[in-house]
Amino acid sequence: MNSGELWSSSCNLAGTGELENVACVYFTTLPSIRDENDLRRVAMSSFGSISYQTTSDRRVEGTLELPVYKGELAARDTTLSFAVPTALIAPPHLLCHPAIAHNPAYYEVVGPEIVRVAVTPGNKLLFIDGGVTAEAGQLKSFDYVIEGDASSAAGLEAPMKEEATTQVSHLERLDGDADIFAFWKANANTDLVTGRQVEWRKLREKVA
């Protein structure tokens, strides 16, 4: 607490790979980590993996045993509280669950209890009296979030692994005074994606 600093991590959301062009300071909205279910809500497991199931109209659904950071409950018996401005928070990735029979499609936020502030690699956040700040130019942002297709194992793991993928939703930046519904009506059925220059998240190659 005396340091006034929060260090960033290069780990991806699953904690199994290191990102090359972005680092994150990780927070959680959970008041404490009390059991195995809480660990899994922050993409950790004392077993080193989390099980997922596809959403589709197949007779037998597919499953995915996703490797995640192996976390121990005993090492997480103390909490620190911080006030993180919403303007600093990176938008979360999504899973798209397809429409099945009479049930409509829907989106699921990946890791809703995980809050990340993205910075350029090697940078850190500062805090005073629990209020978190970032120095000018140190924040990092991307113009897309990963939108995994929950009907396939590859789609389920895409948001957690975070390397470049075609399963994305592009973000549209609006001016502060813009009305989101007016923009939507003015650009209905318009291609706003073709020709965009996108910086993808890159995983650091492992050295043997």
Side-chain angles (χ1 to χ4, degrees), residues 140-159:
K140 178 81 175 182
S141 63
F142 294 90
D143 291 330
Y144 74 98
V145 296
I146 296 174
E147 181 191 316
D149 179 0
S151 68
S152 69
L156 287 175
E157 70 178 358

Side-chain angles (χ1 to χ4, degrees), residues 37-172:
N37 285 333
D38 286 345
L39 273 180
R40 295 183 180 192
R41 289 164 74 180
V42 294
M44 298 183 190
S45 169
S46 58
F47 304 103
S49 66
I50 299 177
S51 300
Y52 290 85
Q53 179 177 297
T54 58
T55 301
S56 71
D57 57 0
R58 295 188 291 268
R59 186 175 64 84
V60 178
E61 291 294 344
T63 59
L64 169 68
E65 197 68 22
L66 180 74
V68 295
Y69 183 84
K70 189 173 183 178
E72 301 295 337
L73 281 171
R76 289 164 178 79
D77 59 352
T78 304
T79 60
L80 298 173
S81 179
F82 297 98
V84 182
T86 55
L88 301 185
I89 297 173
H93 299 314
L94 304 171
L95 284 174
C96 179
H97 295 266
I100 301 174
H102 300 294
N103 298 315
Y106 64 94
Y107 290 96
E108 175 188 353
V109 173
V110 175
E113 289 88 8
I114 300 172
V115 175
R116 298 195 294 178
V117 177
V119 297
T120 52
N123 282 316
K124 59 191 72 172
L125 299 181
L126 305 177
F127 66 88
I128 300 176
D129 297 328
V132 174
T133 62
E135 294 186 359
Q138 292 190 345
L139 293 177
K140 178 81 175 182
S141 63
F142 294 90
D143 291 330
Y144 74 98
V145 296
I146 296 174
E147 181 191 316
D149 179 0
S151 68
S152 69
L156 287 175
E157 70 178 358
M160 298 293 288
K161 299 183 90 172
E162 295 194 277
E163 65 257 46
T165 173
T166 57
Q167 299 188 41
V168 301
S169 279
H170 294 274
L171 302 177
E172 188 67 45

Side-chain angles (χ1 to χ4, degrees), residues 8-11 19 21-26 117-123 140:
S8 61
S9 167
S10 60
C11 286
L19 294 163
N21 56 345
V22 63
C24 293
V25 179
Y26 281 81
V117 177
V119 297
T120 52
N123 282 316
K140 178 81 175 182

